[in-house]
Amino acid sequence: ETGVTQTPRHLVMGMTNKKSLKCEQHLGHNAMYWYKQSAKKPLELMFVYSLEERVENNSVPSRFSPECPNSSHLFLHLHTLQPEDSALYLCASSQETGTEAFFGQGTRLTVV
Amino acid sequence: GESVGLHLPTLSVQEGDNSIINCAYSNSASDYFIWYKQESGKGPQFIIDIRSNMDKRQGQRVTVLLNKTVKHLSLQIAATQPGDSAVYFCAENYGGSQGNLIFGKGTKLSVKP
């Protein structure tokens, strides 16, 4: 248990669906991240939030929309995804950006 | 041809032997490095970190070595155990206020009993 909880653990969605991934951290950290881990690429940083403000968006398609309502919660809203978006989506948090990141268990997403 | 997946380097060791996992990082400006362990079905787990003002750091059964001249990082695991079987990632922090961690491809460690 790392103190970072992601739900759901598994998600299957059609290309026309809209769904959201949720991440919650109980560590009092100021920074939160979304990473994508697929079978074909190394861990890819998608978004970084520091003190609830987005500080990084690594050229992620607009069909992925993050939301950080407070320092403990992070969402990733998904719509009109493609099959190649199937991957493990990992949330992480750290005290400050660039310090040790604690990861959740991930959401295994399958787009059909 | 089409890629069927990310081919990870694999290290196979006998239980009780020492393991050395290597990582070449990309940015000479990186000032902070972390090793993570990822077991099947789980998220990456922090093992040990090192800052660029050091060249060696030891933890419990693990040692990280940093060679900034050749941009090389290694993780040494002493007396490797079956529970050490996992994929190991190095991550570098380019520094600055954003301080994003960038991960390498990973190395799969298999421990034979």
Side-chain angles (χ1 to χ4, degrees), chain A residues 8-13 19-21 78 87 107-111:
Chain A
R9 291 293 307 277
H10 301 273
L11 177 63
V12 179
M13 60 186 289
K19 296 286 184 183
S20 295
L21 310 185
L78 316 171
T107 295
R108 174 67 63 185
L109 174 68
T110 303
V111 181

Side-chain angles (χ1 to χ4, degrees), chain A residues 9 35 37 39-43 45 48 55-56 88 90 97-101 103-105, chain B residues 2-3 5-6 32 36 38 41-44 46 89 93 97-101 103-105:
Chain A
R9 291 293 307 277
Y35 282 86
Q37 188 175 38
K40 297 185 179 181
K41 293 184 180 180
L43 266 168
L45 178 64
V48 180
V55 296
E56 183 82 6
L88 181 68
L90 289 158
T97 55
T99 59
E100 175 193 345
F103 284 82
Q105 301 268 41
Chain B
E2 182 181 4
S3 170
L6 190 64
Y32 179 58
Y36 282 91
Q38 187 174 22
K42 297 184 179 180
F46 172 89
F89 296 93
N93 174 12
S97 60
Q98 295 186 7
N100 301 328
L101 284 178
F103 284 78
K105 282 197 301 186

Side-chain angles (χ1 to χ4, degrees), chain A residues 39-105:
Chain A
K40 297 185 179 181
K41 293 184 180 180
L43 266 168
E44 298 174 84
L45 178 64
M46 299 175 72
F47 301 104
V48 180
Y49 276 83
S50 177
L51 297 171
E52 303 154 42
E53 286 192 20
R54 191 191 309 184
V55 296
E56 183 82 6
N57 175 349
N58 274 358
S59 302
V60 179
S62 59
R63 57 185 184 269
F64 295 91
S65 175
E67 179 190 2
C68 187
N70 55 62
S71 59
S72 298
H73 293 86
L74 186 66
F75 295 90
L76 187 63
H77 304 300
L78 316 171
H79 64 97
T80 59
L81 294 193
Q82 305 298 313
E84 59 264 30
D85 296 322
S86 299
L88 181 68
Y89 288 85
L90 289 158
C91 173
S93 72
S94 63
Q95 186 60 52
E96 307 294 341
T97 55
T99 59
E100 175 193 345
F102 292 79
F103 284 82
Q105 301 268 41

Side-chain angles (χ1 to χ4, degrees), chain B residues 3-62:
Chain B
S3 170
V4 296
L6 190 64
H7 294 286
L8 296 178
T10 299
L11 176 65
S12 185
V13 300
Q14 202 71 38
E15 181 179 359
D17 287 353
N18 297 334
S19 304
I20 300 177
I21 301 171
N22 296 303
C23 177
Y25 63 91
S26 58
N27 194 326
S28 57
S30 294
D31 60 2
Y32 179 58
F33 306 87
I34 305 178
W35 279 102
Y36 282 91
K37 171 187 180 183
Q38 187 174 22
E39 297 174 274
S40 181
K42 297 184 179 180
Q45 179 184 7
F46 172 89
I47 301 174
I48 192 168
D49 59 1
I50 189 168
R51 296 207 170 272
S52 59
N53 60 352
M54 303 172 70
D55 53 22
K56 180 179 180 180
R57 189 160 189 231
Q58 288 185 290
Q60 187 178 14
R61 279 203 308 121
V62 295

